[in-house]
Every structure is written in structure tokens, then in C-alpha cells.
Amino acid sequence: DVKVTQSSRYLVKRTGEKVFLECVQDMDHENMFWYRQDPGLGLRLIYFSYDVKMKEKGDIPEGYSVSREKKERFSLILESASTNQTSMYLCASRTGLSSYNSPLHFGNGTRLTVT
Amino acid sequence: QKEVEQNSGPLSVPEGAIASLNCTYSDRVSQSFFWYRQYSGKSPELIMSIYSNGDKEDGRFTAQLNKASQYVSLLIRDSQPSDSATYLCAVKNDNYGQNFVFGPGTRLSVLP
């Protein structure tokens, strides 16, 4: 089974702090994603990466950056946390092989509260 | 235009009944369709995927796809209280690159 591990289940940070969310997958997947999920807004893509050191903006990249130095690890960075970034953050991975029919595999999520 | 629509619910069914969850999508060239189940406070977990028109069965779950009508559904037979969750429909289309487009989810409540 694919395992996607997010380093923190719950985080509480202060406004203006730099926040790192870490995600590791164990299936050698090429593609990794960061989503946020908010009530009434559903799942929205922040960034994704299709290879080491490669990244693409998603639908809502403002206020975020990402890092992928190793294939198995994809980090989401909130440069200066704000209260409107309080949300559930979901990391996902996906194989690039037979890509059109392979699903996303999600981590357990990080619930971030910015005060 | 990328839109995936679902009835937000809640959809309430009695235990043992068939629950029918529906999803429509706007982009006709969409290729792959996925159903995820999400319990409150948890992350989405994959239930089924479907790529070809028709039905696909897996245990108590049946996914149905009609590309002409741009419609995909999930049937849950012999519904159990443990099926109570939000069900997310996701659509994959190479025009969006690697991204999936998710519907808002339908909240299902199975009443004992």
C-alpha cells in the first residue's frame, strides 16, 4: 500500500511566522501535490511537483512556496503565516506511469491554525 | 472551464438501503473519474475509479459512467452506518496537466 506521511497532524502558529509542512511518500511516485481544504470551498490545489526540483503553481499559490529536493519529500512553506491560511492541508502523491488512470493517494492531513 | 458538481446533501438513507451519489462534470474530454470517501476530520481515501462507459463493481460499491451525459455516479448497496461520510467526486483531464478537479462532496448519513 502507498503510504503518504505528513509530519504533523495539528499545528498552531502565530501570524507572521514561517511555517514548514513536510510530506514523505514511500512509493517512488513522480508526482506530489499540496491541497488545502476549507468548508464550502472543497479541495484546492496549491502547488504540485512532477519531479525533483520541479514545481508548478496550482489554483491558489499566493502566500505559499514549495521545495522538492528529494523524490520522496515535498515541503510546503508558508512564508509569513496569516489567519486566512488556517485550514486543513493535504499532501498527495501519484505515479506518473499509466498516468491517466492512476489515483491520488493522500496523507493524513495537517490541520493548521494561525492565530 | 473546469467544474465538477455534486449535491452537497446531506443525503439520508436507512441502513440496508441503496445510497446513490451523483456527480456531473463540465469538460467533455475528461478521461478518468474517481470516488473518494472522507470521514469527518480525516483525509480522503480512494473507493473506486472508472474510465470507461458503463458500470464497475467492487463489493458493495458500483460506479457508473456516462460520458455522453457527462455524469458519473456511485451506488452503495446495503448501506451501513459506517458508510456515513462525505463522498468526493474527482475528475482527471490531461488538459489540466497533473491536477484533479474535485467536486464539493456529498455528505451521506446512513441511519440505523
Side-chain angles (χ1 to χ4, degrees):
Chain A
D1 277 354
V2 177
K3 190 162 180 64
V4 181
T5 302
Q6 293 182 232
S7 55
S8 302
R9 189 76 181 93
Y10 299 94
L11 273 180
V12 180
K13 296 292 181 180
R14 294 195 180 276
T15 301
E17 278 192 80
K18 191 169 186 176
V19 181
F20 293 85
L21 303 183
E22 307 286 346
C23 176
V24 176
Q25 51 95 3
D26 67 355
M27 283 301 293
D28 202 36
H29 284 173
E30 291 78 10
N31 304 304
M32 297 187 74
F33 305 77
W34 276 106
Y35 288 86
R36 65 177 281 178
Q37 187 175 32
D38 302 286
L41 297 176
L43 275 156
R44 295 180 291 168
L45 182 66
I46 305 171
Y47 267 98
F48 71 93
S49 169
Y50 51 91
D51 202 349
V52 175
K53 297 190 185 296
M54 306 304 288
K55 61 185 179 184
E56 292 277 349
K57 292 180 180 179
D59 297 323
I60 51 164
E62 297 79 18
Y64 303 94
S65 62
V66 290
S67 172
R68 193 165 180 202
E69 297 297 319
K70 295 184 178 182
K71 191 175 185 180
E72 67 270 19
R73 187 180 296 271
F74 192 35
S75 302
L76 179 70
I77 304 155
L78 286 65
E79 298 291 343
S80 177
S82 63
T83 55
N84 64 10
Q85 292 178 310
T86 291
S87 185
M88 169 72 97
Y89 289 88
L90 291 161
C91 175
S93 74
R94 179 174 185 260
T95 182
L97 303 175
S98 304
S99 64
Y100 85 92
N101 61 358
S102 58
L104 289 170
H105 300 272
F106 286 93
N108 286 336
T110 296
R111 185 165 294 281
L112 173 67
T113 301
V114 182
T115 61
Chain B
Q1 182 186 14
K2 28 181 182 174
E3 283 187 10
V4 177
E5 298 186 355
Q6 299 178 253
N7 188 326
S8 61
L11 172 66
S12 295
V13 300
E15 185 174 356
I18 296 175
S20 178
L21 305 164
N22 304 318
C23 173
T24 59
Y25 57 95
S26 60
D27 195 329
R28 185 169 290 277
V29 299
S30 295
Q31 298 161 307
S32 313
F33 307 86
F34 303 84
W35 283 100
Y36 287 85
R37 177 176 63 199
Q38 186 174 26
Y39 293 111
S40 180
K42 304 295 185 182
S43 63
E45 54 180 328
L46 180 70
I47 300 175
M48 290 189 70
S49 57
I50 186 166
Y51 328 112
S52 304
N53 277 327
D55 294 0
K56 180 181 177 183
E57 188 173 316
D58 184 359
R60 295 188 296 115
F61 299 97
T62 299
Q64 300 174 317
L65 176 60
N66 183 326
K67 290 188 176 181
S69 300
Q70 296 175 231
Y71 176 94
V72 58
S73 65
L74 179 70
L75 301 179
I76 307 174
R77 289 182 300 281
D78 188 23
S79 295
Q80 301 297 310
S82 59
D83 294 325
S84 298
T86 296
Y87 290 79
L88 303 173
C89 172
V91 175
K92 176 68 175 72
N93 178 331
D94 280 351
N95 289 339
Y96 311 149
Q98 291 295 329
N99 194 12
F100 286 49
V101 180
F102 284 84
T106 296
R107 190 155 56 94
L108 172 67
S109 179
V110 180
L111 306 174

